[in-house]
């Protein structure tokens, strides 16, 4: 599966955008925070470097700690140097980027700050020609999302009179079904749904977007993409990192809230969805929600039979000893927060009836890998007898990260006089086929928002459906805390024993990615 050499990014032909980004001002709430430093500013810098943004563009950073524009620029320059892919700053690009950067000391809950912001935006429009188009990026603690939108609304900053106004809302979007609904309700008092961009950075990953291309631009896979040919699907989202100093947040979250309800479900919906009637944001998202609406609800019994939780104890990662979750900073010594979960999902619809989707996600696992493995049914008849029966059936593995690519595993004859059969891989690797650095998820997503394309953002219904599905799991586990018997997997392993049994009860086993 080799692609022809260097294919041009379809978005840019001869350095021209197919859809040109309009002039606009980007306002970052929480500009001195971690996300802004690590992801947002480096992504915006790259977009300028790649000439994907127009000259009429400006960034206003908002934050509580007073800083001059110059101090802010210095800080951001250091962030670009530290966190951008290339780890270098191109002085010429930086000069033009820095000229667009400014800082406004601001307090999210103080109405007068929004008045000042409005004035500053007027100035920016006059000086930078940003034409009243505004993107507000809420990179602040979740408890401030609704407040910031309310204040923006009351200050008249959400009105689209002179230009467009869009708001990017970071994760986590709620902590339960009730809180997600409430948040949607509060936000939509001041904004139209079409102005709201709920970010899920997994959707910005190149390989996740490739799922759509792979499925719907090829003629050969879709006819087999159903219960007739597919035995089951495995989705693995494994991290080697622990909670990385975020113990306080993670204690209240756990892997179901942190990863499964959002990132994993987004990926899953792209695997399970029907072909959309067009690539418009609404058509794609309609199909995704339709798939998730057919996902079987969990109840107490299903949670007991088809959901498994785990928490890591001490172990070693890459040969280095690491502490257990309960020893991490900010974590209770008797914590029952799950750092690993495996669940069996079923899509009760025409395409997927009877096909289990096994999903697992966890921290401090053996390897960092996110992949989707489609396991096909075995050939109907074992013509080659035992030699064939011992092989695992064909598998199509879509690697989302790292080492992005797609592998099809097929049986082949081992050369020689005796007929022996072995699995071989047909491989497509992004690195080898395209020879380009894949863009960071945030680059793509921020650009999409500026372009007004919300396809890769979560719509209201999807955020609520994610919570709807996981609430019974969280409730059941919450009610049976004492049964958790944590820690139950060693750091550096593949998770709890229960996850192995989950598949064994169906006569299947997890792939070793
Ligand atoms: C974040 C979670 O949303 O995604 C983190 O809060 C997690 O806990 C991260 O580590 C994983 O993202 P990625 O892109 O490294 O797979």
């Amino acid at each position: 599966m080799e692609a022809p050499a260097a294919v041009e990014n379809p978005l840019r032909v001869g350095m021209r955008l197919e859809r040109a980004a309009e002039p606009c001002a980007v306002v970052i709430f929480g500009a001195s925070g971690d996300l802004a430093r690590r992801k947002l500013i480096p992504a915006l810098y790259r977009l300028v470097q790649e000439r994907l943004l127009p000259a009429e563009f400006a960034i206003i950073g908002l934050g509580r700690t007073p800083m001059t524009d110059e101090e802010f620029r210095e800080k951001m320059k250091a962030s670009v140097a530290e966190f951008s892919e290339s780890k270098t700053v191109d002085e010429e690009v930086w000069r033009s980027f820095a000229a667009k950067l400014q800082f406004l000391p601001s307090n999210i809950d103080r109405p007068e700050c929004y008045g000042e912001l409005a004035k500053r935006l007027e100035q920016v429009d006059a000086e930078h020609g940003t034409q009243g188009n505004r993107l507000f990026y809420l990179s602040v603690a979740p408890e401030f999302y609704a407040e910031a939108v309310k204040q923006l609304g009351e200050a008249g900053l959400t009105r689209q009179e002179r230009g467009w106004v869009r708001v990017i809302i970071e994760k986590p979007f709620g902590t339960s079904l009730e809180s997600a609904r409430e948040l949607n309700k509060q936000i939509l008092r001041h904004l139209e749904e079409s102005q709201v961009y709920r970010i899920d950075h997994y959707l910005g990953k190149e390989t996740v977007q490739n799922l759509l291309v792979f499925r719907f631009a090829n003629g050969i896979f879709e006819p087999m993409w159903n219960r007739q040919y597919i035995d089951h699907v495995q989705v693995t989202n494994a991290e080697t990192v622990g909670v990385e100093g975020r113990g306080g947040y993670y204690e209240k979250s756990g892997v179901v809230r942190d990863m499964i309800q959002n990132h994993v479900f987004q990926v899953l919906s792209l695997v399970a969805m029907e072909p959309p009637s067009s690539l418009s944001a609404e058509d794609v998202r309609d199909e995704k929600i339709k798939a998730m609406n057919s996902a079987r609800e969990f109840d107490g019994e299903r949670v007991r039979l088809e959901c498994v939780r785990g928490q890591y104890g001490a172990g070693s990662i890459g040969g280095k000893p690491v502490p257990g979750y309960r020893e991490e900073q900010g974590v209770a010594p008797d914590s029952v927060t799950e750092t690993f979960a495996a669940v069996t999902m079923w899509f009760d619809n025409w395409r997927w009836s009877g096909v289990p989707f096994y999903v697992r996600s966890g921290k401090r696992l053996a390897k960092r890998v996110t992949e989707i493995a489609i396991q096909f049914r075995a050939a109907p008849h074992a013509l080659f007898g035992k030699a064939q029966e011992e092989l695992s059936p064909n598998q199509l593995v879509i690697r989302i990260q790292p080492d992005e690519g797609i592998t099809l595993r097929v049986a082949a004859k081992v050369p020689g006089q005796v007929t022996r059969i072995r699995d071989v891989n047909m491989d497509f690797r992004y690195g080898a086929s395209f020879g380009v650095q894949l863009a960071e998820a945030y680059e793509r997503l921020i650009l999409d928002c500026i372009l007004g394309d919300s396809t890769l953002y979560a719509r209201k219904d999807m955020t609520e459906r994610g919570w709807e599905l996981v609430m019974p799991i969280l409730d059941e586990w919450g009610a049976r805390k004492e049964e958790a018997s944590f820690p139950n997997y060693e750091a550096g392993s593949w998770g709890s024993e229960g996850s192995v049994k989950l598949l064994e009860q169906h006569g299947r086993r997890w792939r070793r990615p």
Side-chain angles (χ1 to χ4, degrees), residues 102-120:
Q102 43 184 288
F103 187 79
L104 181 64
S106 185
N107 225 324
I108 271 195
D109 42 11
R110 298 257 286 279
E112 60 273 23
C113 292
Y114 293 79
E116 279 166 37
L117 175 60
K119 264 192 245 144
R120 181 68 74 93

Side-chain angles (χ1 to χ4, degrees), residues 39 171 201-202 205 237 239 241-242 246 249-250 258-259 262-263 363 368 370 401:
K39 301 286 185 190
K171 64 157 290 202
H201 79 280
Y202 266 61
K205 292 183 191 278
N237 171 260
E239 296 186 273
V241 293
R246 294 193 307 155
Y249 153 76
Y250 204 82
D258 188 48
M259 297 295 298
N262 45 4
H263 305 320
K363 293 215 179 270
R368 175 174 183 252
T370 301
Q401 63 187 22

Side-chain angles (χ1 to χ4, degrees), residues 29 32 53 61 85 118 163 173 200 212 224-226 286 313 414 420 442 458 467:
F29 285 73
S32 36
L53 296 177
E85 202 61 52
F173 197 88
D200 186 306
L212 280 177
M224 298 191 297
W225 211 262
N226 56 52
D286 281 349
V414 178
R420 279 174 43 230
Y442 278 91
W467 283 114

Side-chain angles (χ1 to χ4, degrees), residues 298-366:
F298 288 94
D299 57 20
E301 196 191 347
R302 272 202 69 206
V303 174
R304 279 188 292 280
L305 293 174
E306 300 194 312
C307 303
V308 168
R309 57 182 154 168
Q311 186 193 77
Y312 62 87
S316 77
I317 302 270
K320 282 205 197 112
V322 294
Y325 176 69
R326 289 176 176 182
E327 284 95 64
E328 302 268 14
Q329 200 190 345
V331 172
D334 56 351
S335 167
V336 282
T337 300
E338 84 287 351
T339 60
F340 171 86
V343 300
T344 307
M345 310 264 304
W346 303 90
F347 293 92
D348 291 324
N349 60 24
W350 205 259
R351 185 186 285 264
W352 296 118
S353 179
V355 179
F357 284 63
Y358 303 107
V359 172
R360 61 179 165 170
S361 178
K363 293 215 179 270
R364 287 282 192 229
L365 296 182

